[in-house]
Amino acid sequence: MSKQKLEINELILKVQGALKEAQYSEMRIAAFFPTWARLTEYMTERNEQILNAKTGLNFLEEAYGITVFKNLPRNLAICVRAVNVLTDFQQHGMLLAKARRKVHVYHPQFQALFQGYIDKRRTEGHSEDTLQSYAIYLDRFSDYLHSREVKSICELDNTLVLGFTGTFTNYSPAVIHNTLCSLRTFFHYLFQEGFVSKNFAYVVPRDGYRSRTKVPSAYPKEDVEKLLKTIDRGNPKGKRDYAIILLAARLGLRAQDICDLSFEHLKWDTNTIEMIQGKTEKPITLPLLEDVGQAIIDYLKYARPECTTTNAIFLRLIPPMGKLEAPTLHSIVTHHMRKAGIQVQDGKKHGPHALRHSLASALLEDKTPLPVISEILGHTSTASTSVYLKIDINQLRSCSLTPPPFDWNHGEEVF
């Protein structure tokens, strides 16, 4: 494929076509048009035809005053994304997706092969979450090979492998590490099954990343209560969101388990919630606390839409009606945290999982034994729960040692 840079008008047309091929909606693509038009005018005034990253950054600063790219309001975030898709395509000849569709359909020349790999991993007992991650990485690899006009996996060579790994610049160290590891596993499969004559796993570069347990993102009890109190429960959305956030904050349910919660999981006769956890596939029984139960009843009676296609409790409030997805829960919690004025430090998580961490922190503060916390959170072992010891400041403080005195003047005198 030619690496000649595209002029701005042709680049926009190419990207528009790539977005349609990637199944972006017409409305989502149209949201980029105003920024693209303004960028074209900006470049014309400066007699520039070829867009590069530097020009894109200058444009965002001069046209919109954007110099910091974190926590942008939605309208400015769209402007940044509109420029990024152009510069990414200019540099790599493909879209570097920030979010991928859940159903992965690879390019036709790779569909059977890539799906065969996923199916084989499934028969080996890998979880659906792990398989979904593999599918995302292969989806990106499929896009890259297609953009390089590769017609068969037999055309794979070192240049293509290294070229693909060079597109990871926008990813976090953890994602880069996981992608590289997944690639090696996939290349081992290709070689062992005879699809390629060389094992390209040894071409994939090493990243030096070492997985480390991080300090969980937890918020004090006061912030959690402030969050709950500021939710407006006088409308259907508020009633739904309040029940969702209570389930995360009071019971520590994961986002996916809240989305999967259905009527048969609510045992009103015993005041319990009984379900199979999506992540561990292990059963869990939790008390249906009074405030949680009342919030769910309030939502079911006065806010839940009529829907015959799903038995899930928490639904979208606008068409198409259906079960909520986990990423939507993250947006819900983030929205209400911002509305409550809760300060979120850079790098600190602020979704439903942060509320789960906050529950663990509160339980530790109340001196709840670790095995009990492990059972509440649905961990398969206390080893998973022990990471929360890092946020038990009071207990850590009790382990501190007083350093011995040090006499700076002790020793030989220097004249």
Side-chain angles (χ1 to χ4, degrees), residues 202-275:
Y202 301 105
V203 179
V204 178
R206 298 284 174 179
D207 60 326
Y209 177 84
R210 293 293 180 269
S211 180
R212 301 181 297 276
T213 56
K214 299 179 181 179
V215 176
S217 297
Y219 293 84
K221 295 177 183 178
E222 297 76 16
D223 280 353
V224 175
E225 293 307 312
K226 182 180 179 182
L227 167 65
L228 291 168
K229 287 179 181 178
T230 54
I231 299 175
D232 180 8
R233 298 164 62 190
N235 58 76
K237 184 180 186 304
K239 293 180 186 297
R240 182 198 65 183
D241 294 356
Y242 182 74
I244 286 172
I245 292 175
L246 265 184
L247 284 166
R250 296 281 193 261
L251 301 180
L253 279 179
R254 297 181 180 91
Q256 191 57 59
D257 290 337
I258 294 175
C259 292
D260 292 340
L261 191 67
S262 59
F263 291 100
E264 61 265 25
H265 297 143
L266 301 177
K267 309 300 181 182
W268 298 106
D269 54 337
T270 58
N271 282 329
T272 56
I273 296 176
E274 301 176 15
M275 66 186 307

Side-chain angles (χ1 to χ4, degrees), residues 2-301:
S2 173
K3 294 188 177 181
Q4 181 179 355
K5 301 297 183 183
L6 301 172
E7 294 188 359
I8 184 62
N9 290 324
E10 185 181 2
L11 177 62
I12 290 172
L13 288 175
K14 290 278 188 180
V15 168
Q16 189 175 345
L19 290 170
K20 290 180 179 179
E21 186 177 348
Q23 299 181 4
Y24 282 64
S25 68
E26 292 289 343
M27 182 179 297
R28 191 174 177 189
I29 297 174
F32 295 154
F33 288 169
T35 304
W36 288 345
R38 194 166 177 180
L39 174 61
T40 303
E41 182 180 351
Y42 173 89
M43 293 181 63
T44 301
E45 290 174 353
R46 287 155 181 77
N47 199 27
E48 296 181 32
Q49 287 296 318
I50 305 298
L51 176 65
N52 55 42
K54 183 178 180 181
T55 299
L57 290 173
N58 290 339
F59 165 71
L60 289 171
E61 181 176 0
E62 295 179 29
Y64 300 100
I66 300 174
T67 56
V68 178
F69 294 85
K70 287 187 177 181
N71 300 321
L72 290 172
R74 177 173 173 77
N75 61 319
L76 294 183
I78 291 174
C79 297
V80 173
R81 179 64 176 144
V83 174
N84 281 346
V85 292
L86 295 178
T87 54
D88 286 346
F89 197 91
Q90 184 78 284
Q91 183 176 356
H92 302 292
M94 61 181 291
L95 300 174
L96 300 182
K98 301 299 183 290
R100 305 299 299 182
R101 53 192 179 273
K102 189 170 184 179
V103 178
H104 295 277
V105 179
Y106 311 105
H107 291 281
Q109 64 268 42
F110 309 117
Q111 179 65 36
L113 177 63
F114 285 21
Q115 189 58 50
Y117 170 71
I118 296 296
D119 292 342
K120 184 176 188 299
R121 302 292 284 183
R122 180 175 284 109
T123 61
E124 293 172 352
H126 292 273
S127 70
E128 288 302 318
D129 284 344
T130 300
L131 296 176
Q132 179 69 10
S133 296
Y134 287 147
I136 290 172
Y137 304 142
L138 290 182
D139 201 353
R140 293 168 180 163
F141 191 41
S142 171
D143 284 350
Y144 179 82
L145 294 178
H146 182 72
S147 72
R148 294 306 186 263
E149 299 181 354
V150 175
K151 305 300 183 186
S152 167
I153 201 67
C154 298
E155 300 175 29
L156 193 62
D157 59 25
N158 292 2
T159 301
L160 288 169
V161 172
L162 294 175
F164 177 58
T165 61
T167 66
F168 298 169
T169 53
N170 290 336
Y171 303 152
S172 69
V175 172
I176 292 174
H177 177 73
N178 290 336
T179 306
L180 294 175
C181 290
S182 299
L183 273 179
R184 293 189 192 99
T185 305
F186 178 59
F187 290 149
H188 281 309
Y189 165 80
L190 292 180
F191 179 70
Q192 292 165 1
E193 297 295 325
F195 293 111
V196 293
S197 58
K198 174 181 177 178
N199 192 344
F200 291 98
Y202 301 105
V203 179
V204 178
R206 298 284 174 179
D207 60 326
Y209 177 84
R210 293 293 180 269
S211 180
R212 301 181 297 276
T213 56
K214 299 179 181 179
V215 176
S217 297
Y219 293 84
K221 295 177 183 178
E222 297 76 16
D223 280 353
V224 175
E225 293 307 312
K226 182 180 179 182
L227 167 65
L228 291 168
K229 287 179 181 178
T230 54
I231 299 175
D232 180 8
R233 298 164 62 190
N235 58 76
K237 184 180 186 304
K239 293 180 186 297
R240 182 198 65 183
D241 294 356
Y242 182 74
I244 286 172
I245 292 175
L246 265 184
L247 284 166
R250 296 281 193 261
L251 301 180
L253 279 179
R254 297 181 180 91
Q256 191 57 59
D257 290 337
I258 294 175
C259 292
D260 292 340
L261 191 67
S262 59
F263 291 100
E264 61 265 25
H265 297 143
L266 301 177
K267 309 300 181 182
W268 298 106
D269 54 337
T270 58
N271 282 329
T272 56
I273 296 176
E274 301 176 15
M275 66 186 307
I276 303 296
Q277 299 175 94
K279 181 176 181 179
T280 64
E281 298 183 352
K282 301 291 184 182
I284 188 173
T285 300
L286 294 169
L288 188 53
L289 303 176
E290 183 178 355
D291 57 348
V292 177
Q294 288 178 349
I296 293 175
I297 291 172
D298 188 38
Y299 162 70
L300 293 178
K301 289 178 65 176

Side-chain angles (χ1 to χ4, degrees), residues 349-373:
K349 297 184 183 301
H350 44 85
H353 218 67
L355 297 178
R356 178 177 165 88
H357 294 330
S358 301
L359 173 63
S361 176
L363 292 171
L364 279 171
E365 189 176 325
D366 292 338
K367 295 183 170 50
T368 306
L370 208 60
V372 175
I373 299 176

